[in-house]
Amino acid sequence: MSTTDDAPRSSAASGDDDMPDIVDVVMEMDDADHGSPPPLPAIANPSLPAHLEALAGRARDYIEAASSANTRRAYAADWKHFSSWCRRQGIEMFPPDPQVAGLYIAACASGTATGDKKPNTVSTIERRLSSLSWNFAQRGQPLDRKDRHIATVMAGVRNTHASPPRQKEAILPEDLIAMLETLDRGTLRGLRDRAMLLLGFAGGLRRSEIVGLDVGSDQTEDGRGWVEIFADKGLLVTLRGKTGWREVEIGRGSSDATCPVVALQTWLRLARIAHGPLFRRVAGQGRAVGVDRLNDQEVARLVKRAALAAGVRGDLSEGERAKKFAGHSLRAGLASSAEVDERYVQKQLGHASAEMTRRYQRRRDRFRINLTKASGL
């Protein structure tokens, strides 16, 4: 098990598992495309009175806050990808041309968009198209996604290349317990990682939600929520998402060894954290706590590292196992193992529909309702 210090790493060097969770990114982009119109950027205007410059800066801050950091990162990466393709083809990006967008989609699907000749998956192409639409709209030049050059090509791509979604392996309770045993309880890093795994699992939290938490409300500018611990019942997590605020209730476990509340209290007490980011970098061979908030990529790395160390899915090769686990494995684990009415799982995960919750359920009774027998056969 690796005990290297927590350190920032570039996305390019760390692989696909460090990219934003694809389901959440596509959903958020889709909301931007089909919901209310995306906000137009506060572009510098030479004729703007000097006394309004500060207000224009504040408007830019609000525009940035309209989407999550993960989504903005995906917007930027996809726009750069499209820009590079246009430049290599000698094609003008502006004004937005549906025929050019259709050709770009075809290039992505056929593997000719970049030099590696690797075709993009349908979900990646859909994300890129949503990103183009958003970026063009931000520049005041909307792209018509219903144009036949886009809609027909996209329909053909789906019919030709669509495949079942590749889902991360769910971390089930027995897996999580084995993973916890691989962590060093004698170091602050081990205690922190223990609290992160248990909180992420019991709350069904996204990795960005885990690291975005503060100890209390309104403590940092980049905080996305906070926790409130109740002596007897458990803890309440208040989260700020793209559709507003939501609360997640996390009850106490059946034993201290697997209780997320106990794990969090232990981490906070021994790390001497009373204000600011909940989960921080630990240096000095796991004994010195910094002030900086953890990057959400560290959650994916932690899940992968602990799952491999615990031997989860030992029936697979190490290479196959490494691809199976990431931050979403915790959310999928809760959805798959909680023996309660589905609507409670849906609420915990913050899903708008039961259908989305079912995508996270890797282990459920698919034949509970037998329409064959119900029809009299």
Side-chain angles (χ1 to χ4, degrees):
M1 169 111 178
S2 172
T3 56
T4 54
D5 290 348
D6 303 317
R9 307 179 198 180
S10 67
S11 298
S14 48
D16 291 342
D17 286 333
D18 296 329
M19 287 298 290
D21 294 320
I22 186 66
V23 173
D24 295 329
V25 170
V26 171
M27 284 180 62
E28 186 158 348
M29 287 182 170
D30 213 40
D31 288 343
D33 284 333
H34 301 112
S36 57
L40 294 178
I43 301 174
N45 187 340
S47 63
L48 196 67
H51 70 279
L52 291 180
E53 288 182 0
L55 191 59
R58 176 60 69 180
R60 282 190 289 271
D61 292 340
Y62 285 136
I63 288 171
E64 184 171 325
S67 58
S68 72
N70 275 349
T71 303
R72 291 194 301 273
R73 185 156 60 97
Y75 287 157
D78 289 336
W79 185 249
K80 181 179 179 181
H81 189 271
F82 176 65
S83 302
S84 298
W85 179 81
C86 287
R87 186 169 58 253
R88 289 193 300 272
Q89 307 307 316
I91 299 175
E92 294 293 331
M93 293 175 60
F94 295 98
D97 185 342
Q99 187 171 9
V100 170
L103 292 173
Y104 172 66
I105 291 170
C108 290
S110 61
T112 60
T114 56
D116 61 10
K117 297 183 180 180
K118 182 179 179 181
N120 290 150
T121 63
V122 173
S123 60
T124 297
I125 295 171
E126 289 176 335
R127 190 200 70 211
R128 292 196 193 283
L129 181 57
S130 293
S131 183
L132 291 191
S133 179
W134 187 89
N135 274 284
F136 276 123
Q138 289 292 93
R139 290 158 176 80
Q141 302 187 48
L143 174 68
D144 182 8
R145 289 181 58 173
K146 294 182 180 180
D147 184 279
R148 63 184 179 86
H149 292 97
I150 296 176
T152 306
V153 172
M154 196 65 233
V157 167
R158 291 190 186 101
N159 288 340
T160 305
H161 300 293
S163 59
R166 294 181 217 169
Q167 298 177 314
K168 293 299 180 183
E169 188 85 5
I171 295 294
L172 301 175
E174 56 270 26
D175 302 326
L176 183 60
I177 292 172
M179 290 163 63
L180 294 175
E181 291 302 314
T182 69
L183 304 177
D184 186 355
R185 299 191 192 190
T187 66
L188 288 172
R189 182 181 293 113
L191 294 175
R192 180 204 65 190
D193 290 351
R194 187 181 189 83
M196 287 172 59
L197 288 177
L198 284 167
L199 194 70
F201 180 92
L205 304 180
R206 299 174 177 87
R207 67 190 199 187
S208 58
E209 292 171 339
I210 295 172
V211 300
L213 291 173
D214 288 340
V215 178
S217 63
D218 302 322
Q219 292 186 343
T220 65
E221 290 187 1
D222 64 337
R224 308 294 294 179
W226 65 89
V227 298
E228 185 178 0
I229 299 176
F230 296 89
D232 299 327
K233 300 294 185 180
L235 64 87
L236 181 67
V237 179
T238 303
L239 296 166
R240 180 174 63 205
K242 65 180 185 293
T243 58
W245 292 93
R246 69 185 182 96
E247 293 181 338
V248 176
E249 300 161 359
I250 299 178
R252 290 186 177 273
S254 55
S255 72
D256 287 354
T258 58
C259 177
V261 184
V262 171
L264 182 60
Q265 288 175 313
T266 302
W267 157 247
L268 291 176
R269 183 178 70 256
L270 296 181
R272 298 181 180 179
I273 297 175
H275 187 277
L278 202 61
F279 295 115
R280 311 175 183 194
R281 299 199 174 279
V282 177
Q285 293 171 354
R287 299 183 183 279
V289 179
V291 297
D292 296 331
R293 185 186 305 279
L294 273 185
N295 188 294
D296 66 345
Q297 296 172 16
E298 294 296 340
V299 178
R301 295 184 185 119
L302 168 61
V303 172
K304 184 188 298 290
R305 191 168 62 239
L308 292 177
V312 180
R313 287 305 308 269
D315 56 308
L316 303 176
S317 69
E318 180 131 350
E320 291 175 313
R321 291 169 62 213
K323 297 177 182 178
K324 286 282 187 182
F325 302 102
H328 252 49
S329 297
L330 297 176
R331 282 167 65 79
L334 178 74
S336 301
S337 56
E339 300 292 340
V340 295
D341 191 295
E342 190 176 72
R343 68 179 185 271
Y344 296 115
V345 179
Q346 180 183 337
K347 178 180 181 294
Q348 191 84 341
L349 270 60
H351 288 154
S353 68
E355 180 57 34
M356 177 57 68
T357 301
R358 293 186 191 110
R359 295 185 192 180
Y360 284 74
Q361 294 173 325
R362 311 288 193 266
R363 183 176 72 178
R364 71 173 192 269
D365 185 0
R366 298 178 182 274
F367 300 97
R368 181 173 57 85
I369 298 175
N370 188 330
L371 291 181
T372 307
K373 289 183 178 180
S375 66
L377 297 180

